[in-house]
Amino acid sequence: MITAFVLIHAAADHIPETAQEIAELDGVADVYSCAGNVDLIAVVRVREHEQLAEVIAGRLSKVAGVRHTDTHIAFRSYARRDVEEGFSVGMD
């Protein structure tokens, strides 16, 4: 699974509607509103790199209210859940 974090600058008066529409897109796992330099962060999870272009450039960036995106592709996860699952492989 390929995970990408998409930092989204959105029109201030449409953030909730923009977030909801993005959350409904296939390939988008989560959308967070946040404080700081960006308005929204979307977590995109797809099986193949080619799908990133479909989801992000093809659909997400065209949602009404999206002004600019900045995409970061994850190489490895260090979440506690992932580490615990790695150690439990073959323990059953």
Side-chain angles (χ1 to χ4, degrees):
M1 187 66 66
I2 300 162
T3 301
F5 299 93
V6 184
L7 286 60
I8 303 163
H9 295 270
D13 58 339
H14 288 91
I15 291 174
E17 297 85 1
T18 302
Q20 186 61 47
E21 189 171 341
I22 292 169
E24 293 172 3
L25 296 174
D26 287 339
V28 175
D30 298 296
V31 179
Y32 299 92
S33 62
C34 52
N37 294 332
V38 297
D39 302 303
L40 301 168
I41 298 176
V43 180
V44 174
R45 289 197 173 96
V46 295
R47 295 209 176 275
E48 299 176 8
H49 281 95
E50 293 79 17
Q51 292 173 299
L52 289 173
E54 284 177 38
V55 175
I56 299 167
R59 294 193 300 265
L60 189 151
S61 66
K62 295 177 181 176
V63 169
V66 172
R67 299 288 186 236
H68 174 75
T69 64
D70 184 18
T71 301
H72 299 262
I73 299 172
F75 293 125
R76 183 176 296 149
S77 172
Y78 294 96
R80 179 179 298 192
R81 174 188 73 246
D82 295 333
V83 171
E84 289 171 355
E85 287 176 6
F87 284 113
S88 69
V89 172
M91 299 295 285
D92 294 333

Coordinates of all heavy atoms in Angstrom, one line a residue:
M1 N 0.8 -1.2 0.0 CA 0.0 0.0 0.0 C 0.9 1.2 0.0 O 1.8 1.3 0.8 CB -0.9 0.0 1.2 CG -1.9 1.1 1.3 SD -3.2 1.0 0.0 CE -4.1 -0.5 0.5
I2 N 0.6 2.2 -0.9 CA 1.3 3.4 -1.0 C 0.5 4.5 -0.2 O -0.7 4.7 -0.5 CB 1.5 3.8 -2.4 CG1 2.3 2.7 -3.1 CG2 2.2 5.2 -2.5 CD1 2.2 2.8 -4.6
T3 N 1.2 5.2 0.7 CA 0.5 6.3 1.4 C 1.1 7.6 1.1 O 2.3 7.8 1.0 CB 0.7 6.1 2.9 OG1 0.1 4.8 3.3 CG2 0.0 7.2 3.7
A4 N 0.2 8.6 0.8 CA 0.7 10.0 0.5 C -0.1 10.9 1.4 O -1.3 10.7 1.7 CB 0.4 10.3 -0.9
F5 N 0.6 11.9 1.9 CA 0.0 13.0 2.7 C -0.1 14.2 1.8 O 0.9 14.7 1.3 CB 0.8 13.3 3.9 CG 0.9 12.1 4.8 CD1 2.0 11.3 4.7 CD2 0.0 11.8 5.7 CE1 2.1 10.1 5.5 CE2 0.1 10.7 6.6 CZ 1.2 9.9 6.4
V6 N -1.3 14.7 1.6 CA -1.6 15.9 0.7 C -1.9 17.1 1.6 O -3.0 17.1 2.2 CB -2.7 15.6 -0.3 CG1 -2.8 16.7 -1.3 CG2 -2.4 14.3 -1.1
L7 N -1.1 18.1 1.6 CA -1.3 19.3 2.3 C -2.1 20.2 1.4 O -1.7 20.4 0.2 CB 0.0 19.9 2.7 CG 0.8 19.3 3.9 CD1 1.1 17.8 3.6 CD2 2.0 20.1 4.2
I8 N -3.2 20.7 1.8 CA -4.2 21.4 1.0 C -4.4 22.8 1.5 O -4.8 23.0 2.7 CB -5.5 20.6 0.9 CG1 -5.3 19.2 0.4 CG2 -6.5 21.4 0.1 CD1 -6.4 18.3 0.7
H9 N -4.2 23.8 0.6 CA -4.6 25.2 0.9 C -6.0 25.3 0.3 O -6.2 25.0 -0.9 CB -3.7 26.2 0.3 CG -2.3 26.1 0.9 ND1 -1.9 26.9 1.9 CD2 -1.2 25.3 0.5 CE1 -0.7 26.6 2.3 NE2 -0.2 25.6 1.4
A10 N -7.0 25.7 1.1 CA -8.4 25.8 0.6 C -8.9 27.2 0.8 O -8.4 28.0 1.6 CB -9.2 24.8 1.3
A11 N -10.0 27.5 0.1 CA -10.7 28.7 0.2 C -11.3 28.7 1.6 O -12.0 27.8 2.0 CB -11.8 28.9 -0.8
A12 N -11.0 29.7 2.4 CA -11.4 29.8 3.8 C -12.9 29.6 4.1 O -13.3 29.0 5.1 CB -10.9 31.1 4.5
D13 N -13.7 30.2 3.2 CA -15.1 30.1 3.4 C -15.8 28.8 2.9 O -17.0 28.7 3.0 CB -15.8 31.3 2.7 CG -15.5 31.4 1.2 OD1 -14.5 30.8 0.8 OD2 -16.3 32.1 0.5
H14 N -14.9 27.9 2.5 CA -15.5 26.6 2.0 C -14.7 25.4 2.6 O -14.9 24.3 2.0 CB -15.4 26.5 0.5 CG -16.4 27.4 -0.2 ND1 -16.1 28.7 -0.6 CD2 -17.7 27.2 -0.6 CE1 -17.1 29.3 -1.1 NE2 -18.1 28.4 -1.2
I15 N -14.0 25.6 3.6 CA -13.2 24.5 4.2 C -14.0 23.2 4.5 O -13.7 22.1 4.1 CB -12.3 24.9 5.3 CG1 -11.2 25.9 4.8 CG2 -11.7 23.7 6.1 CD1 -10.4 26.5 5.8
P16 N -15.1 23.4 5.3 CA -15.9 22.1 5.6 C -16.4 21.4 4.4 O -16.3 20.2 4.4 CB -17.0 22.7 6.5 CG -16.5 24.0 7.1 CD -15.7 24.5 6.0
E17 N -17.0 22.1 3.5 CA -17.5 21.5 2.3 C -16.4 20.9 1.4 O -16.6 19.8 0.9 CB -18.3 22.5 1.4 CG -19.5 23.1 2.1 CD -19.2 24.3 3.0 OE1 -18.0 24.7 3.1 OE2 -20.1 24.9 3.6
T18 N -15.3 21.5 1.3 CA -14.2 21.0 0.6 C -13.6 19.7 1.2 O -13.4 18.7 0.5 CB -13.0 22.1 0.5 OG1 -13.6 23.3 -0.2 CG2 -11.8 21.6 -0.3
A19 N -13.5 19.8 2.5 CA -13.0 18.6 3.3 C -14.0 17.4 3.1 O -13.5 16.3 2.8 CB -12.9 18.9 4.7
Q20 N -15.3 17.6 3.1 CA -16.2 16.6 3.0 C -16.2 16.0 1.6 O -16.2 14.7 1.5 CB -17.6 17.1 3.3 CG -18.7 16.0 3.3 CD -18.4 14.9 4.4 OE1 -18.1 15.3 5.5 NE2 -18.5 13.7 4.0
E21 N -16.1 16.8 0.6 CA -16.0 16.3 -0.8 C -14.7 15.5 -1.0 O -14.8 14.4 -1.7 CB -16.1 17.4 -1.8 CG -16.3 16.9 -3.2 CD -16.6 18.1 -4.2 OE1 -17.0 19.1 -3.8 OE2 -16.4 17.8 -5.4
I22 N -13.6 15.9 -0.5 CA -12.4 15.2 -0.6 C -12.5 13.9 0.1 O -12.0 12.8 -0.4 CB -11.2 16.0 0.0 CG1 -10.9 17.2 -0.9 CG2 -9.9 15.2 0.1 CD1 -10.0 18.3 -0.4
A23 N -13.1 13.8 1.3 CA -13.2 12.6 2.1 C -14.0 11.5 1.4 O -13.8 10.4 1.6 CB -13.9 12.9 3.5
E24 N -14.9 11.9 0.5 CA -15.7 11.0 -0.2 C -15.0 10.4 -1.5 O -15.6 9.5 -2.1 CB -17.0 11.7 -0.6 CG -17.9 12.0 0.6 CD -19.1 12.9 0.3 OE1 -19.3 13.2 -0.9 OE2 -19.8 13.2 1.2
L25 N -13.8 10.9 -1.8 CA -13.1 10.4 -3.0 C -12.5 9.0 -2.7 O -12.0 8.8 -1.7 CB -12.0 11.3 -3.4 CG -12.4 12.7 -3.8 CD1 -11.1 13.6 -4.0 CD2 -13.2 12.7 -5.1
D26 N -12.6 8.1 -3.7 CA -12.0 6.8 -3.6 C -10.5 7.0 -3.5 O -9.9 7.8 -4.3 CB -12.3 6.0 -4.9 CG -13.7 5.4 -4.9 OD1 -14.3 5.4 -3.8 OD2 -14.2 5.1 -6.0
G27 N -9.9 6.3 -2.6 CA -8.4 6.5 -2.4 C -8.1 7.4 -1.3 O -6.9 7.3 -0.8
V28 N -9.0 8.2 -0.8 CA -8.7 9.1 0.3 C -9.2 8.4 1.6 O -10.4 8.0 1.7 CB -9.5 10.4 0.2 CG1 -9.3 11.3 1.4 CG2 -9.0 11.2 -1.1
A29 N -8.2 8.1 2.5 CA -8.5 7.4 3.7 C -9.0 8.3 4.8 O -10.0 8.0 5.6 CB -7.3 6.7 4.2
D30 N -8.4 9.5 4.9 CA -8.8 10.5 6.0 C -8.6 11.9 5.5 O -7.7 12.1 4.6 CB -7.9 10.3 7.2 CG -8.1 8.9 7.9 OD1 -9.2 8.6 8.4 OD2 -7.1 8.1 7.9
V31 N -9.3 12.8 6.1 CA -9.1 14.2 5.9 C -9.1 15.0 7.2 O -10.0 14.7 8.0 CB -10.1 14.9 4.9 CG1 -9.9 16.3 4.7 CG2 -10.1 14.1 3.6
Y32 N -8.1 15.8 7.5 CA -8.0 16.5 8.7 C -8.0 18.0 8.5 O -7.3 18.5 7.6 CB -6.8 16.1 9.5 CG -6.7 14.7 9.9 CD1 -6.0 13.8 9.0 CD2 -7.2 14.2 11.0 CE1 -5.9 12.4 9.3 CE2 -7.1 12.9 11.4 CZ -6.5 12.0 10.5 OH -6.4 10.7 10.8
S33 N -8.8 18.8 9.2 CA -8.6 20.2 9.2 C -7.5 20.5 10.3 O -7.4 19.8 11.3 CB -9.9 21.0 9.5 OG -10.4 20.6 10.8
C34 N -6.7 21.5 10.0 CA -5.6 21.8 11.0 C -5.3 23.2 11.0 O -5.6 24.0 10.1 CB -4.4 20.9 10.6 SG -3.9 21.1 8.9
A35 N -4.5 23.6 12.1 CA -4.0 24.9 12.2 C -2.6 24.9 11.6 O -1.9 23.9 11.5 CB -3.9 25.3 13.7
G36 N -2.1 26.1 11.2 CA -0.8 26.2 10.7 C -0.8 26.7 9.2 O -1.7 27.4 8.8
N37 N 0.2 26.2 8.5 CA 0.4 26.8 7.1 C -0.6 26.2 6.1 O -0.6 26.6 4.9 CB 1.8 26.5 6.6 CG 2.8 27.3 7.4 OD1 2.5 28.4 7.9 ND2 4.0 26.8 7.6
V38 N -1.3 25.1 6.4 CA -2.2 24.5 5.5 C -3.6 24.4 6.2 O -3.7 24.4 7.4 CB -1.8 23.1 5.0 CG1 -0.5 23.2 4.2 CG2 -1.6 22.1 6.2
D39 N -4.6 24.3 5.4 CA -6.0 24.2 5.9 C -6.5 22.8 6.2 O -7.2 22.5 7.1 CB -7.0 24.9 4.9 CG -6.6 26.3 4.7 OD1 -6.5 27.1 5.7 OD2 -6.3 26.7 3.5
L40 N -6.1 21.9 5.3 CA -6.5 20.5 5.3 C -5.3 19.5 5.0 O -4.4 19.9 4.3 CB -7.6 20.2 4.3 CG -8.9 21.0 4.4 CD1 -9.7 20.8 3.1 CD2 -9.7 20.6 5.6
I41 N -5.3 18.4 5.6 CA -4.4 17.3 5.2 C -5.2 16.1 4.9 O -6.0 15.6 5.7 CB -3.4 17.0 6.4 CG1 -2.5 18.2 6.7 CG2 -2.5 15.8 6.0 CD1 -1.6 18.1 7.8
A42 N -5.0 15.5 3.7 CA -5.6 14.3 3.3 C -4.6 13.2 3.3 O -3.5 13.4 2.8 CB -6.2 14.5 1.9
V43 N -5.0 12.0 3.7 CA -4.2 10.8 3.7 C -4.8 10.0 2.5 O -5.9 9.6 2.6 CB -4.3 10.0 5.0 CG1 -3.4 8.8 4.9 CG2 -3.9 10.9 6.2
V44 N -3.9 9.8 1.5 CA -4.3 9.0 0.4 C -3.6 7.6 0.4 O -2.4 7.6 0.6 CB -3.9 9.7 -0.9 CG1 -4.2 8.9 -2.2 CG2 -4.7 11.1 -1.0
R45 N -4.4 6.6 0.2 CA -3.8 5.2 0.2 C -4.2 4.5 -1.1 O -5.4 4.4 -1.3 CB -4.2 4.5 1.5 CG -3.6 5.0 2.7 CD -3.7 4.0 3.9 NE -2.9 4.5 5.0 CZ -3.4 5.1 6.0 NH1 -4.7 5.4 6.1 NH2 -2.6 5.5 7.0
V46 N -3.3 4.1 -1.8 CA -3.5 3.4 -3.1 C -2.6 2.2 -3.2 O -1.6 2.1 -2.5 CB -3.4 4.4 -4.3 CG1 -4.5 5.4 -4.3 CG2 -2.0 5.0 -4.4
R47 N -2.9 1.3 -4.2 CA -2.0 0.2 -4.4 C -0.9 0.4 -5.3 O 0.2 -0.2 -5.2 CB -2.9 -1.0 -4.9 CG -3.9 -1.5 -3.9 CD -4.2 -2.9 -4.0 NE -5.1 -3.4 -3.0 CZ -4.7 -3.8 -1.8 NH1 -3.4 -3.8 -1.5 NH2 -5.6 -4.2 -0.9
E48 N -1.0 1.3 -6.3 CA 0.0 1.5 -7.3 C 0.3 3.0 -7.5 O -0.6 3.9 -7.3 CB -0.5 1.0 -8.7 CG -0.7 -0.5 -8.6 CD -1.3 -1.0 -9.9 OE1 -1.3 -0.3 -10.9 OE2 -1.7 -2.2 -9.9
H49 N 1.5 3.4 -7.8 CA 1.9 4.8 -7.9 C 1.1 5.5 -9.0 O 0.8 6.7 -8.8 CB 3.4 4.9 -8.3 CG 4.3 4.7 -7.1 ND1 4.9 3.5 -6.8 CD2 4.7 5.6 -6.2 CE1 5.6 3.6 -5.7 NE2 5.5 4.9 -5.3
E50 N 0.7 4.8 -10.0 CA -0.1 5.5 -11.1 C -1.4 6.0 -10.5 O -2.0 7.0 -11.0 CB -0.4 4.5 -12.2 CG 0.9 4.1 -13.0 CD 1.7 3.1 -12.3 OE1 1.3 2.4 -11.4 OE2 2.9 3.0 -12.7
Q51 N -1.9 5.3 -9.5 CA -3.2 5.7 -8.9 C -3.1 7.1 -8.2 O -4.1 7.8 -8.0 CB -3.7 4.7 -8.0 CG -4.2 3.4 -8.7 CD -4.5 2.3 -7.7 OE1 -3.7 1.9 -6.9 NE2 -5.8 1.9 -7.8
L52 N -1.9 7.4 -7.7 CA -1.7 8.7 -7.0 C -2.1 9.8 -8.0 O -2.8 10.8 -7.6 CB -0.3 8.9 -6.6 CG 0.2 8.0 -5.4 CD1 1.7 8.2 -5.2 CD2 -0.6 8.4 -4.2
A53 N -1.7 9.8 -9.2 CA -2.0 10.8 -10.2 C -3.5 10.9 -10.4 O -4.1 12.0 -10.5 CB -1.3 10.6 -11.5
E54 N -4.2 9.8 -10.5 CA -5.6 9.7 -10.6 C -6.3 10.4 -9.5 O -7.2 11.3 -9.7 CB -6.2 8.3 -10.7 CG -5.9 7.6 -12.0 CD -6.5 6.1 -11.9 OE1 -7.5 5.9 -11.2 OE2 -5.8 5.2 -12.4
V55 N -6.0 10.0 -8.3 CA -6.6 10.5 -7.1 C -6.3 12.0 -6.8 O -7.2 12.8 -6.6 CB -6.3 9.7 -5.8 CG1 -6.9 10.3 -4.6 CG2 -6.8 8.3 -6.0
I56 N -5.0 12.3 -6.8 CA -4.6 13.7 -6.4 C -4.8 14.7 -7.5 O -5.5 15.7 -7.4 CB -3.1 13.6 -5.9 CG1 -3.1 12.7 -4.6 CG2 -2.7 15.1 -5.5 CD1 -1.7 12.4 -4.2
A57 N -4.1 14.5 -8.7 CA -4.2 15.4 -9.8 C -5.5 15.3 -10.5 O -6.0 16.3 -10.9 CB -3.0 15.2 -10.7
G58 N -6.0 14.1 -10.6 CA -7.2 13.9 -11.4 C -8.5 14.3 -10.7 O -9.5 14.7 -11.4
R59 N -8.6 14.1 -9.4 CA -9.8 14.4 -8.7 C -9.7 15.4 -7.5 O -10.4 16.4 -7.5 CB -10.4 13.1 -8.2 CG -10.8 12.2 -9.3 CD -11.7 11.0 -8.9 NE -11.1 10.1 -7.9 CZ -10.4 9.0 -8.2 NH1 -10.4 8.6 -9.5 NH2 -9.9 8.3 -7.3
L60 N -8.8 15.1 -6.6 CA -8.7 15.9 -5.4 C -8.4 17.4 -5.7 O -9.0 18.3 -5.2 CB -7.6 15.4 -4.5 CG -7.4 16.0 -3.1 CD1 -6.9 14.9 -2.1 CD2 -6.6 17.2 -3.1
S61 N -7.4 17.6 -6.6 CA -7.0 19.0 -6.9 C -8.1 19.8 -7.6 O -8.1 21.0 -7.7 CB -5.7 19.0 -7.7 OG -5.9 18.5 -9.0
K62 N -9.1 19.0 -8.2 CA -10.2 19.7 -8.9 C -11.4 19.9 -8.1 O -12.4 20.5 -8.6 CB -10.6 18.8 -10.1 CG -9.4 18.8 -11.1 CD -9.7 17.9 -12.3 CE -8.5 17.8 -13.2 NZ -8.8 16.9 -14.4
V63 N -11.4 19.6 -6.8 CA -12.5 19.8 -5.9 C -12.7 21.3 -5.7 O -11.7 22.0 -5.5 CB -12.3 19.1 -4.5 CG1 -13.3 19.5 -3.5 CG2 -12.4 17.6 -4.7
A64 N -13.9 21.8 -5.7 CA -14.2 23.2 -5.5 C -13.6 23.6 -4.1 O -13.8 22.9 -3.1 CB -15.7 23.5 -5.6
G65 N -12.9 24.7 -4.1 CA -12.3 25.2 -2.9 C -10.9 24.9 -2.7 O -10.2 25.5 -1.9
V66 N -10.3 23.9 -3.4 CA -8.9 23.6 -3.4 C -8.1 24.6 -4.2 O -8.4 24.9 -5.3 CB -8.6 22.2 -3.9 CG1 -7.1 21.9 -4.0 CG2 -9.3 21.1 -3.0
R67 N -7.2 25.3 -3.5 CA -6.4 26.3 -4.1 C -5.0 25.8 -4.5 O -4.5 26.2 -5.6 CB -6.2 27.5 -3.2 CG -7.5 28.2 -2.8 CD -8.1 29.0 -3.9 NE -9.3 29.7 -3.5 CZ -10.4 29.6 -4.1 NH1 -10.6 28.8 -5.1 NH2 -11.5 30.3 -3.7
H68 N -4.4 25.0 -3.7 CA -3.1 24.5 -3.9 C -2.8 23.2 -3.1 O -3.4 23.1 -2.0 CB -2.0 25.6 -3.5 CG -0.6 25.2 -3.6 ND1 0.1 25.0 -4.8 CD2 0.3 24.8 -2.6 CE1 1.3 24.6 -4.5 NE2 1.4 24.5 -3.2
T69 N -2.1 22.3 -3.7 CA -1.7 21.1 -2.9 C -0.2 20.9 -2.9 O 0.5 21.3 -3.8 CB -2.4 19.8 -3.5 OG1 -1.9 19.6 -4.8 CG2 -3.9 20.0 -3.5
D70 N 0.2 20.2 -1.9 CA 1.6 19.8 -1.8 C 1.6 18.3 -1.3 O 1.2 18.1 -0.2 CB 2.3 20.7 -0.8 CG 3.8 20.5 -0.7 OD1 4.4 19.8 -1.6 OD2 4.4 20.9 0.3
T71 N 2.2 17.4 -2.1 CA 2.1 16.0 -1.8 C 3.4 15.4 -1.3 O 4.4 15.7 -1.9 CB 1.6 15.2 -3.1 OG1 0.3 15.7 -3.5 CG2 1.5 13.7 -2.8
H72 N 3.3 14.6 -0.2 CA 4.4 14.0 0.3 C 4.1 12.5 0.4 O 3.2 12.0 1.0 CB 4.7 14.5 1.8 CG 5.0 15.9 1.8 ND1 6.3 16.4 1.8 CD2 4.2 17.0 1.7 CE1 6.2 17.7 1.8 NE2 5.0 18.1 1.7
I73 N 5.0 11.7 -0.3 CA 4.8 10.2 -0.3 C 5.6 9.6 0.8 O 6.8 9.9 1.0 CB 5.2 9.6 -1.7 CG1 4.4 10.3 -2.8 CG2 5.1 8.1 -1.7 CD1 4.8 9.9 -4.2
A74 N 4.9 8.7 1.6 CA 5.6 8.1 2.7 C 6.4 6.9 2.2 O 6.0 6.1 1.4 CB 4.5 7.6 3.7
F75 N 7.6 6.7 2.8 CA 8.4 5.5 2.5 C 8.2 4.4 3.5 O 8.1 3.2 3.1 CB 9.9 5.9 2.6 CG 10.3 6.8 1.5 CD1 11.0 8.0 1.8 CD2 10.1 6.6 0.2 CE1 11.4 8.9 0.8 CE2 10.5 7.4 -0.8 CZ 11.1 8.6 -0.5
R76 N 8.0 4.7 4.8 CA 7.9 3.7 5.8 C 7.1 4.3 7.0 O 7.2 5.5 7.3 CB 9.3 3.4 6.3 CG 9.4 2.3 7.3 CD 10.9 2.0 7.7 NE 11.6 1.4 6.5 CZ 12.9 1.6 6.3 NH1 13.6 2.3 7.1 NH2 13.4 1.1 5.2
S77 N 6.4 3.4 7.6 CA 5.6 3.8 8.8 C 6.3 3.4 10.1 O 6.8 2.3 10.2 CB 4.2 3.2 8.7 OG 3.5 3.5 9.9
Y78 N 6.3 4.3 11.1 CA 6.8 3.9 12.4 C 5.8 4.0 13.5 O 6.0 4.2 14.6 CB 8.0 4.9 12.7 CG 9.2 4.7 11.8 CD1 9.3 5.5 10.7 CD2 10.1 3.7 12.0 CE1 10.4 5.4 9.9 CE2 11.2 3.6 11.2 CZ 11.3 4.4 10.1 OH 12.4 4.2 9.3
A79 N 4.5 3.9 13.0 CA 3.4 3.9 14.0 C 3.5 2.7 14.9 O 3.8 1.6 14.4 CB 2.1 3.9 13.2
R80 N 3.1 2.8 16.1 CA 3.1 1.7 17.1 C 2.4 0.5 16.6 O 2.8 -0.6 16.7 CB 2.5 2.2 18.4 CG 2.5 1.1 19.4 CD 1.9 1.6 20.7 NE 2.8 2.6 21.2 CZ 2.8 3.1 22.4 NH1 1.9 2.7 23.3 NH2 3.6 4.1 22.8
R81 N 1.2 0.8 16.0 CA 0.4 -0.3 15.4 C 1.2 -1.1 14.4 O 1.2 -2.3 14.4 CB -0.9 0.3 14.8 CG -1.7 -0.7 14.0 CD -2.9 0.0 13.3 NE -2.3 0.6 12.1 CZ -2.3 2.0 11.9 NH1 -2.8 2.8 12.7 NH2 -1.8 2.5 10.8
D82 N 1.9 -0.4 13.5 CA 2.6 -1.1 12.5 C 3.8 -1.9 13.0 O 4.1 -3.0 12.6 CB 3.2 -0.1 11.4 CG 2.0 0.5 10.7 OD1 1.0 -0.1 10.5 OD2 2.2 1.7 10.2
V83 N 4.5 -1.4 14.0 CA 5.6 -2.1 14.7 C 5.1 -3.3 15.4 O 5.7 -4.4 15.3 CB 6.3 -1.1 15.7 CG1 7.4 -1.9 16.5 CG2 7.0 0.0 14.9
E84 N 4.0 -3.2 16.1 CA 3.5 -4.3 16.8 C 3.0 -5.4 15.9 O 3.3 -6.6 16.1 CB 2.3 -3.9 17.7 CG 2.7 -3.1 18.9 CD 1.6 -2.5 19.7 OE1 0.4 -2.6 19.2 OE2 1.9 -1.9 20.7
E85 N 2.4 -5.1 14.8 CA 2.0 -6.1 13.8 C 3.2 -6.8 13.2 O 3.2 -8.0 12.9 CB 1.2 -5.4 12.7 CG -0.2 -5.0 13.1 CD -1.0 -4.3 12.1 OE1 -0.5 -4.2 10.9 OE2 -2.1 -3.9 12.4
G86 N 4.3 -6.0 13.0 CA 5.5 -6.6 12.4 C 6.1 -7.7 13.4 O 6.6 -8.7 12.9
F87 N 6.0 -7.4 14.7 CA 6.6 -8.4 15.6 C 5.7 -9.6 15.8 O 6.1 -10.6 16.4 CB 6.9 -7.7 17.0 CG 8.1 -6.9 16.9 CD1 8.1 -5.5 17.0 CD2 9.4 -7.5 16.7 CE1 9.2 -4.7 17.0 CE2 10.5 -6.7 16.7 CZ 10.5 -5.3 16.8
S88 N 4.4 -9.4 15.5 CA 3.5 -10.5 15.7 C 3.4 -11.5 14.5 O 2.7 -12.5 14.6 CB 2.1 -10.0 16.1 OG 1.5 -9.4 14.9
V89 N 4.1 -11.2 13.5 CA 4.0 -12.1 12.3 C 4.6 -13.5 12.6 O 5.6 -13.6 13.2 CB 4.8 -11.5 11.1 CG1 5.0 -12.5 10.0 CG2 4.2 -10.2 10.6
G90 N 3.8 -14.5 12.4 CA 4.2 -15.9 12.6 C 4.0 -16.3 14.0 O 4.4 -17.4 14.4
M91 N 3.4 -15.5 14.9 CA 3.2 -15.8 16.3 C 1.9 -16.6 16.5 O 1.7 -17.2 17.6 CB 3.1 -14.6 17.2 CG 4.4 -13.8 17.1 SD 5.8 -14.6 17.8 CE 5.4 -14.5 19.5
D92 N 1.0 -16.8 15.5 CA -0.2 -17.5 15.6 C -0.1 -19.0 15.5 O 0.7 -19.5 14.9 CB -1.2 -17.0 14.6 CG -1.6 -15.5 14.9 OD1 -1.6 -15.1 16.0 OD2 -2.0 -14.9 13.9

